[in-house]
Amino acid sequence: MRVRWAEVDKQGIVFNAHYLMYFDVAITEYYRALGYPYPVGLAQHGTDLYVKKAGVEYHASAGYDDEIDVCVRVARLGRSSFEFQLEIYRADKLLIDGTVVYVNADPETRKSAPLPEFLRAAIKAFEHTAPTEAIANPA
């Protein structure tokens, strides 16, 4: 990705909230790489994904017109949730890292529901290193 003018603040660096947007773009591309039809795939099973938690740690800043790489992988699969691990680099310098946890839920009741097996299988097949299966306190 390339940092656009609208994403920098008065200090000339990317405004902190935009890093979550970069995470979201990377997650969308992750689903595309899986061959997973989001959101249609879950809707067919009567569920949808909701962000439960997001965390960002800032190590250095990106600036206008910087080329950045956003790396994403699923680090943990639970019963009804999974955790993305993300990192943003400029060349080989780590700028940002973070996590985003999604929970699968019924859109009517917003109560958690097990991840559909087709999604679980697609994630496991896609990852070169298998995500950790949640054992204690699965979400």
Side-chain angles (χ1 to χ4, degrees):
M1 302 175 76
R2 190 176 288 276
V3 175
R4 298 168 293 192
W5 179 254
E7 297 162 356
V8 298
D9 59 19
K10 189 175 180 180
Q11 296 170 322
I13 58 176
V14 172
F15 178 67
N16 60 70
H18 286 296
Y19 291 108
L20 286 170
M21 183 208 36
Y22 298 156
F23 284 3
D24 189 61
V25 170
I27 289 167
T28 299
E29 293 303 319
Y30 181 94
Y31 292 137
R32 184 172 284 118
L34 278 182
Y36 171 66
Y38 182 80
V40 177
L42 284 172
Q44 292 171 345
H45 287 82
T47 63
D48 202 354
L49 297 172
Y50 298 87
V51 173
K52 170 84 172 162
K53 180 169 83 170
V56 182
E57 187 165 341
Y58 304 92
H59 304 285
S61 300
Y64 170 68
D65 210 35
D66 281 354
E67 285 189 42
I68 57 173
D69 293 308
V70 185
C71 304
V72 59
R73 69 179 294 272
V74 171
R76 185 191 60 79
L77 278 168
R79 182 189 72 80
S80 63
S81 67
F82 56 101
E83 179 178 325
F84 284 107
Q85 198 168 43
L86 299 108
E87 297 176 337
I88 299 177
Y89 291 86
R90 180 182 51 239
D92 62 351
K93 181 173 178 66
L94 176 64
L95 304 177
I96 307 293
D97 65 50
T99 59
V100 178
V101 175
Y102 279 90
V103 65
N104 187 52
D106 178 308
E108 297 289 321
T109 64
R110 303 279 168 97
K111 293 193 180 203
S112 67
L115 288 170
E117 190 52 42
F118 74 89
L119 179 57
R120 179 182 298 283
I123 290 170
K124 285 182 176 182
F126 183 75
E127 293 291 341
H128 298 290
T129 304
T132 303
E133 292 284 342
I135 309 249
N137 200 12

